[in-house]
Amino acid sequence: MKIIIDTDPGQDDALTILLALASPEIELLGVTTVAGNVPVAQTTENALKTFDLVGRTDIPVHAGADRPLLRPGVTATHVHGKTGFEGVDLPPPSREATPGHAVDFIIRTVMENPPGTITLCTIGPLTNITLALAKEPALRERIGQIVTMSCAFSEVGNITPTAEFNIYVDPHAARVVFESGIPLVVFPLDVTHQLHTSKARLERLDAIPNRVGPVVAAWLRFEKRFEATKYGTDGGPLHDPNTVLWLLRPDLYRGREVNVEIETESALTMGMSVVDWWGITGKKKNALFMREVDVEGVYDLVIERLSAL
């Protein structure tokens, strides 16, 4: 499976990249970065550090949008720390970002491959994807699917009472993507909030006999402190890795085709993902929206793949 990961690392973003690298079923063509959890210069540096961690400097990392389309930028440093990589002190990256903008890399890669063969795994705000669609409208017919960690239904919101972070940061970009007609697979808070990074699960990561396991455990231990306190749970939600894990084991998840619209007008509910779970509106279904997950199966797969690095 040929994929591009569009991301704003972030500790669990880095785990997503590592899982792709650890999986022979996946060919990671490149990583594109966007402003989100931290500013884009930092997300780019973090992506480069992730590849250095496992000695993979052969995969391009292209820096992308440094701000949302229409709104002021929002970060999540209160969750991820100032650098987005708090929890582990990694050395500076061994290389610079690959020359060329993320948007142009996405366009070139999709257009150079046969239609329908490229999957975009989007685990940050959707700014780069919307800019690419605006610059090359033919992408709508060429992208195979977009697998996205975004949205919420019954879990409502994690950055406002009604909005999930990746959508809220750039709701106008999200609206374009959800109206694009490209096949969408959505991993919302409804799934991620079932996947607590419990003490026992972090101990399993720590026990992996390579460098990666303890680093991932330390990253998640830091990142999830805020959410564990917020929700009163043993650990916090595991968000972004579900995109790659679903590509590997779709049987671990269950959902249904629904219509999803993104709110861009209301100051009160800006960035809300309006999910027509019961088909009330009769509007065209535009997303496979996940709601259920095999929790232990997901963590077993994470341990298995990271152990191979």
Side-chain angles (χ1 to χ4, degrees), residues 91-171:
S94 65
R95 57 176 170 143
E96 300 289 327
T98 311
H101 197 281
V103 168
D104 295 319
F105 172 76
I106 292 169
I107 293 170
R108 182 174 70 253
T109 304
V110 173
M111 297 304 289
E112 287 178 353
N113 281 273
T117 58
I118 304 296
T119 291
L120 304 184
C121 289
T122 65
I123 53 177
L126 291 162
T127 316
N128 285 336
I129 312 307
T130 288
L131 291 172
L133 293 174
K135 190 170 184 180
E136 178 50 85
L139 291 182
R140 288 172 169 79
E141 309 300 325
R142 305 276 302 199
I143 294 170
Q145 61 183 347
I146 295 175
V147 184
T148 177
M149 189 277 120
S150 60
C151 299
F153 178 41
S154 62
E155 291 293 316
V156 292
N158 63 353
I159 188 67
T160 75
T162 60
E164 179 275 328
F165 178 81
N166 286 339
I167 300 293
Y168 180 76
V169 171
D170 199 342

Side-chain angles (χ1 to χ4, degrees), residues 23-284:
S23 300
E25 304 95 324
I26 287 175
E27 181 182 359
L28 180 57
L29 301 179
V31 162
T32 53
T33 62
V34 65
N37 288 322
V38 289
V40 72
Q42 189 68 62
T43 64
T44 305
E45 179 178 315
N46 292 348
L48 293 166
K49 287 181 176 181
T50 303
F51 285 108
D52 282 351
L53 180 64
V54 288
R56 292 295 301 272
T57 58
D58 55 307
I59 295 175
V61 175
H62 290 268
D66 63 358
R67 60 191 184 277
L69 297 180
L70 300 176
R71 289 165 50 80
V74 178
T75 65
T77 54
H78 61 292
V79 177
H80 297 273
K82 182 179 179 181
T83 69
F85 260 21
E86 247 67 33
V88 179
D89 188 17
L90 295 177
S94 65
R95 57 176 170 143
E96 300 289 327
T98 311
H101 197 281
V103 168
D104 295 319
F105 172 76
I106 292 169
I107 293 170
R108 182 174 70 253
T109 304
V110 173
M111 297 304 289
E112 287 178 353
N113 281 273
T117 58
I118 304 296
T119 291
L120 304 184
C121 289
T122 65
I123 53 177
L126 291 162
T127 316
N128 285 336
I129 312 307
T130 288
L131 291 172
L133 293 174
K135 190 170 184 180
E136 178 50 85
L139 291 182
R140 288 172 169 79
E141 309 300 325
R142 305 276 302 199
I143 294 170
Q145 61 183 347
I146 295 175
V147 184
T148 177
M149 189 277 120
S150 60
C151 299
F153 178 41
S154 62
E155 291 293 316
V156 292
N158 63 353
I159 188 67
T160 75
T162 60
E164 179 275 328
F165 178 81
N166 286 339
I167 300 293
Y168 180 76
V169 171
D170 199 342
H172 300 90
R175 182 172 181 173
V176 171
V177 170
F178 275 82
E179 293 177 353
S180 68
I182 298 167
L184 295 170
V185 183
V186 180
F187 290 88
L189 300 184
D190 305 65
V191 167
T192 70
H193 281 196
Q194 299 177 53
L195 292 161
H196 300 134
T197 56
S198 66
K199 182 174 183 290
R201 290 167 184 151
L202 293 182
E203 287 174 350
R204 291 183 69 193
L205 288 168
D206 250 332
I208 293 174
N210 60 24
R211 187 183 179 201
V212 172
V215 168
V216 170
W219 270 337
L220 295 179
R221 196 169 282 118
F222 179 93
E223 178 193 348
K224 302 308 176 184
R225 290 185 307 178
F226 174 83
E227 291 174 306
T229 301
K230 176 181 176 181
Y231 299 120
T233 52
D234 181 9
L238 188 69
H239 296 293
D240 299 334
N242 291 286
T243 53
V244 164
L245 295 171
W246 177 79
L247 291 174
L248 299 172
R249 288 282 307 277
D251 60 296
L252 294 175
Y253 301 89
R254 288 180 295 278
R256 69 169 66 159
E257 297 280 350
V258 298
N259 179 268
V260 180
E261 295 183 279
I262 307 300
E263 175 59 56
T264 59
E265 303 295 332
S266 168
L268 183 63
T269 58
M270 179 66 70
M272 182 178 183
S273 44
V274 181
V275 180
D276 188 5
W277 186 255
W278 300 112
I280 293 167
T281 65
K283 292 180 179 178
K284 183 178 179 181

